Amino acid sequence: MALNGGIPPNGATHIWAKSLSRVVGKDGITVNSIPPGRLHSEQIDQKLLPTEESQRKWVAENCPAGYIGEPEDLAVLVAFLASPLARYITGQVIHVDGGARRFSH
């Protein structure tokens, strides 16, 4: 069984963001966590899934959206959350992963 060393620190970051959102919310500040899924990047394209075949296989087995995301897929959420339109969204963990996450929490 392989363990992902990023899970405990990520969980701690989400808890910290939730707590911080409760402290600064009265000042009109929102705080959210956005854990990215597989997005095209140097790490994904050159190390984790370096071939078209490995990318197709991962998508077929893991991603209901049917493709690996682009950085822009995450950027549009960040831009929205930073806008006044998202003033009531705070303390949330919003996954940008094309549906790859298999858990609801």
Side-chain angles (χ1 to χ4, degrees):
M1 177 170 88
L3 297 177
N4 183 338
I7 291 174
N10 289 344
T13 300
H14 302 327
I15 293 167
W16 171 80
K18 179 69 169 181
S19 298
L20 184 60
S21 73
R22 298 190 49 83
V23 172
V24 301
K26 66 182 175 288
D27 298 316
I29 299 169
T30 61
V31 180
N32 296 288
S33 294
I34 307 171
R38 301 276 162 89
L39 302 176
H40 283 291
S41 66
E42 182 178 330
Q43 180 179 357
I44 299 299
D45 295 341
Q46 295 178 14
K47 297 177 183 176
L48 193 58
L49 301 170
T51 65
E52 295 246 351
E53 173 64 27
S54 64
Q55 291 181 9
R56 277 194 296 277
K57 183 176 187 289
W58 183 86
V59 167
E61 294 173 356
N62 297 288
C63 191
Y67 58 93
I68 293 174
E70 297 295 337
E72 293 82 4
D73 296 320
L74 186 115
V76 294
L77 176 61
V78 171
F80 170 71
L81 291 173
S83 79
L85 295 172
R87 68 183 188 179
Y88 199 62
I89 302 171
T90 192
Q92 302 305 304
V93 177
I94 306 169
H95 299 272
V96 178
D97 65 3
R101 184 172 170 78
R102 292 193 167 109
F103 305 102
S104 62
H105 57 283

